[in-house]
Amino acid sequence: MVKTSKIVQEIYKIASGSREKLLPTRLSQLFLPANTNLLDTKAQIEGNCKSQRILQTQGIVIPAGPGTFHLLPLASKAMNKLIDIVDKEMKKIGGQKIFMPCLTTGDLWKTSERWVNIGAELFKLKDRQDRDICLGPTHEEAVTSLVSSLPNLSYKQLPLKLYQITAKFRDEMRPRFGLLRAREFYMKDMYSFDISEEEAQSTYAEVCEAYDRIFKQLCLHVVKVQGLTGNIGGKYSHEYHVLSEIGEDQLQLCTSCDFRTNVELQETISVCPMCKSHMKKSQGIEVGHAFYLGSVYSEAFNAQYINKKGKPELLQMCCYGLGITRLMSASIEALSSKDKLQWPLKLAPYLVCVILPKAGSKEEKSCLFGEHVAMALADFPGLADNVVIDDRTQLTIGRRILDCASLGFPYLVVVGKQSVEALPKIEIHDVYNDKVHVLTHAETMDFFRENCAS
Amino acid sequence: MVKTSKIVQEIYKIASGSREKLLPTRLSQLFLPANTNLLDTKAQIEGNCKSQRILQTQGIVIPAGPGTFHLLPLASKAMNKLIDIVDKEMKKIGGQKIFMPCLTTGDLWKTSERWVNIGAELFKLKDRQDRDICLGPTHEEAVTSLVSSLPNLSYKQLPLKLYQITAKFRDEMRPRFGLLRAREFYMKDMYSFDISEEEAQSTYAEVCEAYDRIFKQLCLHVVKVQGLTGNIGGKYSHEYHVLSEIGEDQLQLCTSCDFRTNVELQETISVCPMCKSHMKKSQGIEVGHAFYLGSVYSEAFNAQYINKKGKPELLQMCCYGLGITRLMSASIEALSSKDKLQWPLKLAPYLVCVILPKAGSKEEKSCLFGEHVAMALADFPGLADNVVIDDRTQLTIGRRILDCASLGFPYLVVVGKQSVEALPKIEIHDVYNDKVHVLTHAETMDFFRENCAS
């Protein structure tokens, strides 16, 4: 049980009618090691990468080693929200969630020839029997070998769309920008298996549409460009980029049509080959990548299905990566100002922070009123587990408003001076839209019913 | 979109009033590679381990390499349900969820001296800079080093209870029994930090109570025994065991009091040292382990907090493991019969399977009625995403009832011969309780309202 006075606990119990109900989180107890002497290591935090600087100084993400990070409670909550969004969209297109091991036998990678081709980025190790193992950066080999082991896969079961959301590993030459180029990161990787090129292209389009819906929910401007297939291979690919100065990819974007490309793929051009308009350059953070693989892997692993005529035929494959931790970081990079964290609203770890009055102030007696407001809000279906109480009452309200705004809470509910008036009022700070509303209790409830209904 | 006739899709749209609604899963499209020639590899499936034999022959879990497994859709759904249960119980006791990387720097393990002490079970590798790394089997080093990096951790913020649910790695000498002794597995590991031994003991008791609540929800008989602290270290520990013939631990249980111990800890005794009653022997599968660590790790990493007097003091630690994949497998081992899968009800991947009439039969015209029933059930809050439709209408109903029962669906809703009577009836097979009810549509809804309300 988080630390709360007995009285407040009793009130919660009675009002909520259930002992099972969880109390809203209290900021003083939240593991958020901000403002510690980690700030002394600020020099180590790459100066140009706003998202990582904010995440580290706020104590949301902490380095664990070269290119590896601890995701602390706020990051963990945001990640789970993103995973929920991705799961729903993958399910909508018939995606089936699985978990494949991180440890992959070296033999599989030798079959696809990536054991050598992928280079030093592949983390390799030996087990106690001296067998080669690697830590999966992606799972084309694993999933294709899995599917190829099923002798009676019928055309009726296709398309098959298998995906997972797991830790991935890449021994980056220069890990940097925190979660943007880490050696261990979370990725959603989906693999589709189709009966023909035409069907595979249709599945490819369907997954790309799901990606568009995910980015839309994150209110993130993401551009889709032709990409380089690189060591994954296949016929063609598309990358998804969040435009940003710190992006490591150089993009060329047509100023009037949809022609967009990565300079890796196409040398610098000033005129669009499609519509002859002017091309502009931009930098992008790659957050997703879809590959039309065709039969590259299904040939290597002899992955077949039984067609309508009862004959075995090679499967047509595509794969689709979506950086989970990278997307979190890239969205903060795109939305935040210099020192003020802003999440996509759907990823904000807590939507509402209720700021209680300062201890010893004349409005201190409104403290219980504040607890009540917090509890009432936490009862809204859309706000369950989304309310945090700023109980650091030794600090002034003003100081806490600034602090909580920079911490990225979208809505602050301030129980301050006006809470002790005849008709008590509450200040609602709509932080992301830079607006303040002064509302009664009933109006406050209406406000959140409208803004955080689901 | 899963494959469904246009008409059925239209009906769903109209009836559900929303295009966003997900259709119930169709069994023909579920990736469940049962009854394939994987059965030919039955010899490879350890004969004595019922749970693994069932999981593999049903296509729910498939070996990926020595001691590693692919968790296919049903296993992945069950795992997510278990994670939800664990998350809720950990949150109730103030647990805060984080993610620590699997890759841990060798230096941390050298500090604790486990780099050598833990032996060949620790997966070790080198990065491209030739630095030592290991894959975390547990995270005492990582979390203690994290907490020790916070110079101003105040007594007011304690107890701190940090936990994660992630893949763990152990290079087992003899991986066996599938998920029960794998080289890569999912574990919940919590670490608590307290100001004193007394407080740490109280936290320890609190976490043990949360474990009891988890096992109770799984309807699993789990015994708590004194354990050996082994290479984790600390003052004392308690293990949680599911009693089973295939358990690898030898337990001694008093026949009248609560004295229980692992033979690793105490040589064979015939009389209880507490109450002098007779001791009996049993074998157990360890599914959880709580350690009172004291200051073993906080000393090694100089992890301190600031006490009331403003002075730094060593933290008192405990740690608590709970095998996620192992608990899934152990519960199947305990509940299932020879060939018939039974999950704890709260882990069942789908609660209801609606069996549609056979193609070409005279009750075939009830097919849409069956679809309606499935959709109505999927609308119950407690059944969202818990309904699957057996649309393999080329098979007889009898064959599919047997098949679906052995697949572990707790409730079968059979739309068969009686569905074409004047007052259509539905057969409800309560598989786990071995009962059959013949009900009208309205009664069917009432049945599930009562049995699967939440």
Side-chain angles (χ1 to χ4, degrees):
Chain A
M1 195 69 79
V2 289
K3 277 184 189 165
T4 322
S5 78
K6 287 250 153 121
I7 293 173
V8 172
Q9 283 188 30
E10 277 310 310
I11 289 173
Y12 275 119
K13 269 186 206 167
I14 295 161
S16 65
S18 156
R19 284 165 188 239
E20 280 295 296
K21 208 133 207 167
L22 290 171
L23 300 180
T25 306
R26 305 182 86 75
L27 203 44
S28 68
Q29 301 308 111
L30 192 63
F31 187 57
L32 189 72
N35 310 314
T36 69
N37 79 348
L38 273 168
L39 292 177
D40 297 346
T41 63
K42 217 170 182 172
Q44 292 170 24
I45 305 174
E46 291 122 317
N48 294 326
C49 183
K50 188 172 54 181
S51 55
Q52 195 57 15
R53 196 174 57 236
I54 295 175
L55 287 171
Q56 288 188 212
T57 55
Q58 300 285 15
I60 296 170
V61 161
I62 285 192
T68 59
F69 297 89
H70 297 298
L71 306 179
L72 300 191
L74 293 189
S76 144
K77 283 199 80 177
M79 184 159 101
N80 280 326
K81 289 189 174 193
L82 180 52
I83 289 174
D84 272 353
I85 291 172
V86 173
D87 276 340
K88 286 206 180 92
E89 292 299 336
M90 292 301 107
K91 192 167 163 50
K92 262 187 210 166
I93 56 170
Q96 304 196 55
K97 192 170 191 175
I98 63 174
F99 289 88
M100 293 184 276
C102 306
L103 295 176
T104 314
T105 57
D107 285 347
L108 288 179
W109 290 74
K110 289 167 188 167
T111 301
S112 68
E113 297 178 3
R114 290 210 292 174
W115 183 256
V116 173
N117 292 349
I118 212 167
E121 281 190 5
L122 193 63
F123 274 113
K124 294 174 181 175
L125 66 157
K126 297 266 192 185
D127 69 8
R128 64 201 294 161
Q129 276 88 13
D130 207 39
R131 285 176 295 217
D132 282 322
I133 301 183
C134 66
L135 300 178
T138 60
H139 281 72
E140 286 78 13
E141 284 80 358
V143 76
T144 315
S145 126
L146 165 64
V147 169
S148 78
S149 76
L150 314 174
N152 299 316
L153 186 68
S154 157
Y155 69 94
K156 290 179 196 163
Q157 292 175 270
L158 303 177
L160 189 58
K161 297 161 196 160
L162 302 175
Y163 80 99
Q164 60 176 354
I165 300 176
T166 56
K168 304 290 189 294
F169 304 86
R170 200 175 291 166
D171 197 354
E172 294 285 354
M173 174 109 78
R174 284 185 305 158
R176 60 182 185 145
F177 295 161
L179 300 180
L180 290 178
R181 187 163 292 282
R183 301 203 299 171
E184 177 172 345
F185 52 94
Y186 278 80
M187 186 168 88
K188 188 279 310 174
D189 44 330
M190 180 182 257
Y191 304 90
S192 66
F193 298 88
D194 268 286
I195 59 167
S196 67
E197 289 195 19
E198 196 189 347
E199 292 281 313
Q201 277 164 10
S202 145
T203 298
Y204 187 94
E206 193 181 39
V207 180
C208 289
E209 281 165 25
Y211 276 23
D212 288 338
R213 289 195 299 271
I214 291 168
F215 300 135
K216 198 174 166 193
Q217 287 186 67
L218 302 181
C219 298
L220 216 51
H221 179 58
V222 175
V223 302
K224 184 181 177 186
V225 308
Q226 293 179 33
L228 197 69
T229 55
N231 63 38
I232 303 266
K235 292 195 173 173
Y236 58 84
S237 80
H238 287 94
E239 299 168 0
Y240 288 89
H241 286 272
V242 172
L243 300 183
S244 164
E245 286 173 2
I246 64 148
E248 299 186 283
D249 285 87
Q250 305 292 328
L251 312 177
Q252 301 189 84
L253 316 172
C254 174
T255 50
S256 59
C257 81
D258 271 350
F259 185 79
R260 295 158 183 165
T261 176
N262 192 317
V263 290
E264 292 178 333
L265 187 74
Q266 162 118 44
E267 59 189 18
T268 304
I269 47 173
S270 59
V271 171
C272 174
M274 308 302 278
C275 75
K276 310 297 171 203
S277 295
H278 191 64
M279 297 293 287
K280 67 169 182 180
K281 283 191 186 167
S282 183
Q283 277 158 283
I285 301 168
E286 186 189 319
V287 291
H289 204 154
F291 295 83
Y292 184 93
L293 298 173
S295 58
V296 184
Y297 291 89
S298 47
E299 264 172 40
F301 291 92
N302 195 31
Q304 301 184 319
Y305 73 99
I306 307 297
N307 70 16
K308 279 190 185 174
K309 296 174 184 158
K311 301 281 180 211
E313 203 167 314
L314 279 184
L315 286 157
Q316 295 296 315
M317 287 177 61
C318 302
C319 70
Y320 319 86
L322 189 68
I324 296 295
T325 36
R326 191 183 277 182
L327 199 44
M328 278 166 57
S329 205
S331 63
I332 289 171
E333 190 71 31
L335 298 173
S336 303
S337 61
K338 195 164 162 289
D339 295 303
K340 207 161 148 185
L341 174 57
Q342 181 171 333
W343 302 90
L345 206 57
K346 289 208 170 184
L347 299 192
Y350 291 96
L351 281 167
V352 181
C353 177
V354 177
I355 298 181
L356 298 181
K358 185 173 189 313
S361 68
K362 72 168 195 257
E363 58 266 28
E364 187 180 15
K365 60 183 173 187
S366 300
C367 214
L368 273 181
F369 174 63
E371 301 269 2
H372 269 294
V373 170
M375 193 176 52
L377 290 175
D379 265 348
F380 284 22
L383 289 178
D385 206 20
N386 268 308
V387 178
V388 64
I389 296 178
D390 188 346
D391 60 339
R392 302 171 302 167
T393 53
Q394 73 280 14
L395 304 175
T396 64
I397 285 189
R399 161 83 194 276
R400 283 181 285 153
I401 289 175
L402 289 176
D403 191 46
C404 290
S406 70
L407 256 168
F409 297 122
Y411 297 101
L412 309 181
V413 171
V414 182
V415 180
K417 288 211 174 70
Q418 298 174 78
S419 68
V420 287
E421 289 174 6
L423 177 63
K425 296 269 180 65
I426 302 163
E427 268 180 35
I428 312 294
H429 293 243
D430 178 349
V431 179
Y432 292 180
N433 296 307
D434 207 10
K435 283 183 189 163
V436 178
H437 309 277
V438 179
L439 306 176
T440 63
H441 183 279
E443 288 165 347
T444 300
M445 296 300 136
D446 287 344
F447 178 87
F448 285 105
R449 210 167 277 125
E450 270 169 41
N451 287 279
C452 305
S454 66
Chain B
M1 195 69 79
V2 287
K3 276 184 191 166
T4 322
S5 78
K6 288 250 153 119
I7 291 173
V8 173
Q9 284 189 29
E10 276 310 309
I11 289 173
Y12 275 119
K13 269 187 206 167
I14 295 161
S16 66
S18 156
R19 283 165 188 241
E20 281 294 297
K21 207 132 207 168
L22 290 171
L23 300 181
T25 306
R26 305 182 87 74
L27 203 45
S28 67
Q29 301 309 111
L30 191 63
F31 186 57
L32 188 71
N35 310 316
T36 69
N37 78 348
L38 272 168
L39 292 178
D40 298 346
T41 64
K42 216 170 184 173
Q44 292 170 23
I45 305 174
E46 290 123 315
N48 295 324
C49 183
K50 188 172 54 183
S51 55
Q52 194 58 14
R53 196 175 58 238
I54 295 175
L55 287 170
Q56 287 187 213
T57 55
Q58 299 285 16
I60 295 169
V61 161
I62 285 191
T68 60
F69 298 89
H70 298 298
L71 306 180
L72 300 191
L74 293 190
S76 144
K77 282 199 79 180
M79 184 159 101
N80 280 327
K81 288 188 175 193
L82 180 52
I83 289 174
D84 272 353
I85 290 172
V86 173
D87 276 340
K88 287 206 179 92
E89 291 300 337
M90 293 301 108
K91 193 167 161 52
K92 263 187 209 164
I93 56 169
Q96 305 196 55
K97 193 171 191 175
I98 63 174
F99 289 88
M100 294 184 275
C102 306
L103 295 176
T104 315
T105 57
D107 285 347
L108 288 180
W109 289 74
K110 289 168 189 168
T111 301
S112 68
E113 297 178 3
R114 290 210 292 173
W115 182 256
V116 173
N117 292 348
I118 213 167
E121 280 191 5
L122 193 63
F123 274 113
K124 294 173 180 176
L125 65 157
K126 297 266 193 185
D127 69 7
R128 63 200 296 162
Q129 277 88 14
D130 207 39
R131 285 176 293 217
D132 282 322
I133 301 183
C134 67
L135 300 178
T138 60
H139 281 73
E140 286 78 13
E141 285 78 359
V143 76
T144 315
S145 127
L146 164 63
V147 169
S148 79
S149 75
L150 314 175
N152 298 316
L153 185 67
S154 158
Y155 70 94
K156 291 180 196 161
Q157 291 173 270
L158 303 177
L160 190 57
K161 297 161 198 159
L162 302 175
Y163 80 100
Q164 60 176 355
I165 299 176
T166 55
K168 304 291 188 295
F169 304 84
R170 201 175 291 166
D171 196 354
E172 294 285 353
M173 174 109 77
R174 285 184 306 158
R176 61 181 186 145
F177 294 161
L179 300 180
L180 291 179
R181 186 161 293 282
R183 299 203 300 171
E184 176 172 346
F185 51 94
Y186 278 81
M187 187 168 86
K188 188 275 314 174
D189 43 330
M190 178 182 259
Y191 305 90
S192 66
F193 299 87
D194 267 285
I195 59 166
S196 67
E197 290 195 17
E198 197 190 345
E199 293 280 314
Q201 277 163 11
S202 146
T203 299
Y204 187 93
E206 193 181 39
V207 180
C208 288
E209 282 165 25
Y211 276 23
D212 288 337
R213 289 195 298 272
I214 291 168
F215 300 134
K216 197 175 166 191
Q217 287 187 67
L218 302 181
C219 297
L220 216 50
H221 178 60
V222 176
V223 302
K224 184 180 177 186
V225 308
Q226 293 179 33
L228 196 70
T229 55
N231 64 38
I232 303 267
K235 292 195 175 175
Y236 58 83
S237 80
H238 288 93
E239 300 169 1
Y240 288 88
H241 287 272
V242 172
L243 300 183
S244 164
E245 287 172 3
I246 64 149
E248 299 186 284
D249 285 88
Q250 304 291 328
L251 312 178
Q252 301 190 84
L253 316 172
C254 175
T255 49
S256 57
C257 82
D258 272 350
F259 184 79
R260 296 159 183 163
T261 176
N262 193 316
V263 289
E264 291 177 335
L265 187 72
Q266 163 119 43
E267 58 190 19
T268 305
I269 47 172
S270 57
V271 171
C272 173
M274 308 303 277
C275 75
K276 309 299 172 201
S277 295
H278 191 65
M279 297 293 287
K280 67 168 183 182
K281 283 189 186 170
S282 183
Q283 277 158 283
I285 301 168
E286 185 188 319
V287 292
H289 204 154
F291 295 82
Y292 184 93
L293 297 174
S295 57
V296 185
Y297 291 89
S298 48
E299 264 173 40
F301 291 93
N302 195 30
Q304 302 184 319
Y305 73 100
I306 308 297
N307 69 17
K308 279 189 184 173
K309 296 174 184 159
K311 301 283 181 211
E313 203 167 313
L314 278 185
L315 287 157
Q316 294 297 314
M317 287 177 61
C318 302
C319 70
Y320 319 87
L322 189 70
I324 296 294
T325 36
R326 191 183 278 183
L327 200 43
M328 279 166 58
S329 205
S331 63
I332 289 170
E333 190 71 31
L335 299 173
S336 303
S337 62
K338 195 166 162 289
D339 296 304
K340 209 162 147 184
L341 174 56
Q342 181 172 332
W343 301 90
L345 207 57
K346 289 210 171 180
L347 299 192
Y350 291 96
L351 282 168
V352 181
C353 176
V354 178
I355 298 182
L356 299 180
K358 184 173 191 314
S361 67
K362 71 168 195 256
E363 58 265 27
E364 187 179 15
K365 60 184 175 187
S366 300
C367 215
L368 272 181
F369 174 63
E371 301 270 2
H372 268 293
V373 170
M375 194 176 53
L377 290 175
D379 265 349
F380 285 21
L383 290 178
D385 207 18
N386 269 307
V387 178
V388 64
I389 297 178
D390 187 348
D391 61 338
R392 301 170 304 168
T393 54
Q394 74 280 13
L395 304 175
T396 64
I397 285 189
R399 161 83 194 275
R400 283 183 285 153
I401 289 175
L402 288 176
D403 190 47
C404 290
S406 70
L407 255 168
F409 298 122
Y411 297 101
L412 309 181
V413 172
V414 181
V415 180
K417 288 210 173 73
Q418 299 174 76
S419 68
V420 288
E421 290 175 6
L423 176 63
K425 294 271 180 62
I426 302 164
E427 267 180 37
I428 312 294
H429 293 242
D430 178 348
V431 180
Y432 292 0
N433 296 306
D434 207 11
K435 283 184 189 162
V436 178
H437 310 277
V438 179
L439 305 176
T440 63
H441 183 281
E443 288 166 347
T444 300
M445 296 300 136
D446 286 343
F447 178 88
F448 285 105
R449 211 168 277 126
E450 270 168 42
N451 288 279
C452 305
S454 66

